[in-house]
Amino acid sequence: MSHILIVEDEAIIRTALRKLLERHRYNISEAGSVREATGKHRLADFDLIISDLRLPGAPGTDLLKLAGDVPVLIMTSYASLRSAVDSMRMGAADYIAKPFDHDEMLATVRRVIGKAEQSRVADAKVGTKDGRTIAGMIGESAVMRDLYGRIHKVAPTDATVLVHGETGTGKELVARAIHEESRRAGKPLISVNCAAIPETLIEAELFGHEKGAFTGAQTAREGLVAAADGGTLFLDEIGELPLEAQARLLRVLQEGEVRPIGAVESRKVNVRLVAATHRNLRQLAAERKFREDLYYRINVVQMTLPPLRERGKDVLVIAEHLLEKFCAKVNRATLRLSPEAVQAVTTYTWPGNVRELENAIQRAAILTEDSEEIDHHTLDIDLDLVPIEEADPERLPRNSLHSDPREDLSLEDYFARFVLEHQETMSETELAKKLGVSRKCLWERRQKLGIPRKKARRAAEA
């Protein structure tokens, strides 16, 4: 049972959180200030500290220096968003905006405690040496430290590596890291994107050809496999490789030799293969779209590159690094992200991963003029990708709006009350701003709680 300390000076909210978390089998302790928290409790004994940002006496961020390795979840309001962003830079595990509903709080608590546990397990497994970072790769999240550890262990061997990952996650960086930490570092690293070469040319490009082997082959040419002799061959998107080329590649791996198209004799080669794909090769093999024997031959060591949405605070670190790098490239004073832009960066799911993030940062840096900050409008991240259907006007909110807050304050009730009381006088943008959420999040909570958006207000805003 995880032990959580709630540091909140408002007794009603503190009691509501305690009851909510206790119902989900968390062991809860309470404090009304930083001084009370440090005086009554030993912070190292907790698995998580949930603290309000603004507290009497010292701010909640003081707990970041006192908590050691215990993760701290900061609660804040929209007015304190800049301080919340600063607290994450200081080491907060995450922040959550008030008011928030039960599901959001529970999901955040589970995520933060889970990541902290993963970090402890990863540290125990890989140790200080194996968990060290890798040049060119940014991130200190548990999943990345685990990846670093696997790279350090596998790189010195000649084992074939299969890297899984969505587009834009940096699979070539993994291949480069494996090559540079191997005994082959002084030899070439040949990178080939199998999806970028026409199917009719891929065999000639990879394995070479003799003069006159086919129309247009006016001279003999060495293939990329032979060019990688002694070094590493990185085949990106190997799932796009035609079946005929797969058979030739299998021979290279099994026999250590390559025969150019049109040649009679084979040539010995010594290459290490690192393959990457975003597709399910096992399923492709079952569908006979990928050779099963080749799949088992390359599936020696698997590595998975996590998408940005699973990397927590790494997203902000990467964004700021990319921004600094681009500003230096164009000889411009380094810009910074506004609190709203930081919220957008850390909220968006980034389907294009690092590649999409890099494009967004570069675009925003180019368009930002007469300012030292990039705002979320210039960042131009579409946070309304998920369409929200019209809520049923007859549906009542799930929880009663008239429950006695002294018994058990529902944060969902608080949200519902605020929307119902102010939606006639505020636009959706104003409501979202006051509640500290995005417009998309506001729509989703309307749908969840059964509070329809007024048509008159929508028409007025259109």
Side-chain angles (χ1 to χ4, degrees):
M1 182 182 293
S2 298
H3 195 182
I4 299 175
L5 173 63
I6 300 173
V7 186
E8 167 64 66
D9 59 321
E10 293 188 34
I12 293 178
I13 294 181
R14 191 170 68 241
T15 301
L17 280 178
R18 175 176 58 79
K19 292 184 177 181
L20 168 65
L21 295 173
E22 284 179 341
R23 283 199 298 268
H24 288 80
R25 301 176 181 252
Y26 291 105
N27 186 15
I28 305 299
S29 296
E30 301 177 37
S33 65
V34 173
R35 183 175 181 179
E36 183 182 349
T38 54
K40 290 175 56 177
H41 307 284
R42 184 172 177 268
L43 300 186
D45 293 338
F46 294 95
D47 298 294
L48 172 65
I49 298 173
I50 303 176
S51 175
D52 192 13
L53 183 63
R54 298 186 182 278
L55 293 167
T61 48
D62 278 14
L63 290 167
L64 299 173
K65 296 174 285 186
L66 302 170
D69 293 331
V70 179
V72 179
L73 173 61
I74 294 292
M75 297 186 293
T76 184
S77 62
Y78 181 85
S80 306
L81 182 56
R82 182 181 293 275
S83 297
V85 171
D86 290 340
S87 71
M88 286 193 68
R89 292 193 176 108
M90 293 167 62
D94 208 337
Y95 70 89
I96 186 168
K98 295 180 182 177
F100 39 81
D101 61 33
H102 291 177
D103 291 340
E104 181 182 12
M105 172 58 79
L106 291 170
T108 304
V109 167
R110 281 194 294 268
R111 183 174 67 250
V112 172
I113 291 179
K115 286 183 178 179
E117 181 60 28
Q118 287 176 357
S119 297
R120 286 191 289 270
V121 171
D123 289 342
K125 284 183 177 179
V126 303
T128 304
K129 177 180 179 297
D130 284 345
R132 68 187 186 275
T133 56
I134 291 174
M137 300 184 73
I138 301 172
E140 287 293 335
S141 59
V143 287
M144 290 304 292
R145 285 205 302 272
D146 184 58
L147 178 66
Y148 299 152
R150 291 177 72 86
I151 290 174
H152 295 318
K153 289 177 181 178
V154 172
T157 73
D158 275 338
T160 301
V161 179
L162 179 59
V163 184
H164 287 280
E166 295 179 7
T167 179
T169 49
K171 295 187 284 294
E172 188 168 355
L173 291 177
V174 174
R176 187 170 299 279
I178 292 172
H179 174 72
E180 291 179 353
E181 292 199 15
S182 72
R183 293 169 293 183
R184 301 170 178 264
K187 298 293 183 177
L189 167 66
I190 304 296
S191 299
V192 184
N193 187 334
C194 299
I197 303 176
E199 188 171 331
T200 53
L201 299 178
I202 187 72
E203 287 189 71
E205 287 290 322
L206 283 177
F207 309 106
H209 59 79
E210 292 294 305
K211 179 180 178 181
F214 52 84
T215 304
Q218 299 178 358
T219 58
R221 180 177 178 182
E222 182 181 64
L224 295 174
V225 172
D229 190 18
T232 305
L233 176 66
F234 173 56
L235 294 183
D236 195 9
E237 299 301 346
I238 193 172
E240 308 300 325
L241 202 62
L243 291 172
E244 294 81 1
Q246 291 178 30
R248 287 180 176 269
L249 178 61
L250 184 62
R251 181 171 182 81
V252 172
L253 298 177
Q254 289 180 337
E255 308 298 334
E257 59 183 32
V258 59
R259 189 174 68 181
I261 297 175
V264 177
E265 296 182 353
S266 298
R267 167 188 167 179
K268 285 292 183 180
V269 290
N270 177 16
V271 297
R272 180 193 192 163
L273 177 66
V274 178
T277 182
H278 73 283
R279 305 182 68 181
N280 187 335
L281 294 187
R282 183 186 293 274
Q283 181 178 344
L284 290 180
E287 297 172 355
R288 300 187 180 278
K289 295 178 181 178
F290 194 86
R291 288 184 65 102
E292 191 173 32
D293 47 3
L294 178 60
Y295 169 69
Y296 290 120
R297 186 65 183 78
I298 66 175
N299 188 30
V300 179
V301 177
Q302 280 199 31
M303 294 186 185
T304 300
L305 256 176
L308 277 184
R309 60 182 174 273
E310 295 179 6
R311 292 181 57 181
K313 290 184 291 183
D314 284 355
V315 181
L316 183 57
V317 176
I318 294 171
E320 292 180 333
H321 170 78
L322 292 173
L323 182 57
E324 181 180 353
K325 178 181 175 182
F326 180 75
C327 289
K329 183 178 180 181
V330 297
N331 296 318
R332 176 174 183 170
T334 302
L335 298 169
R336 63 176 181 269
L337 297 170
S338 71
E340 293 81 6
V342 169
Q343 189 180 39
V345 166
T346 54
T347 302
Y348 187 51
T349 57
W350 298 109
N353 292 292
V354 179
R355 188 178 295 121
E356 183 185 6
L357 174 60
E358 183 175 15
N359 292 341
I361 292 294
Q362 182 173 335
R363 177 177 63 246
I366 292 172
L367 296 178
T368 298
E369 297 178 354
D370 305 323
S371 175
E372 295 180 352
E373 279 192 344
I374 292 177
D375 61 34
H376 64 291
H377 297 297
T378 309
L379 200 58
D380 193 25
I381 297 174
D382 187 1
L383 292 175
D384 292 317
L385 294 176
V386 181
I388 304 299
E389 297 178 0
E390 188 73 39
D392 184 358
E394 301 300 322
R395 223 176 103 219
L396 293 175
R398 188 174 63 186
N399 295 324
S400 170
L401 298 182
H402 306 289
S403 59
D404 187 349
R406 292 172 299 180
E407 293 296 325
D408 185 6
L409 175 68
S410 166
L411 295 172
E412 291 183 348
D413 290 351
Y414 180 88
F415 181 94
R417 282 197 191 98
F418 188 91
V419 172
L420 289 171
E421 289 174 4
H422 296 91
Q423 66 179 350
E424 294 294 336
T425 57
M426 289 185 180
S427 67
E428 291 295 288
T429 300
E430 291 169 333
L431 278 173
K433 185 175 181 180
K434 288 292 184 183
L435 290 166
V437 299
S438 66
R439 283 173 58 99
K440 172 177 175 277
C441 185
L442 176 59
W443 266 108
E444 289 175 336
R445 291 188 185 180
R446 277 186 178 278
Q447 184 181 24
K448 179 180 179 180
L449 296 174
I451 306 173
R453 183 177 174 184
K454 296 293 183 181
K455 289 184 170 58
R457 168 61 63 186
R458 185 168 63 240
E461 288 186 345

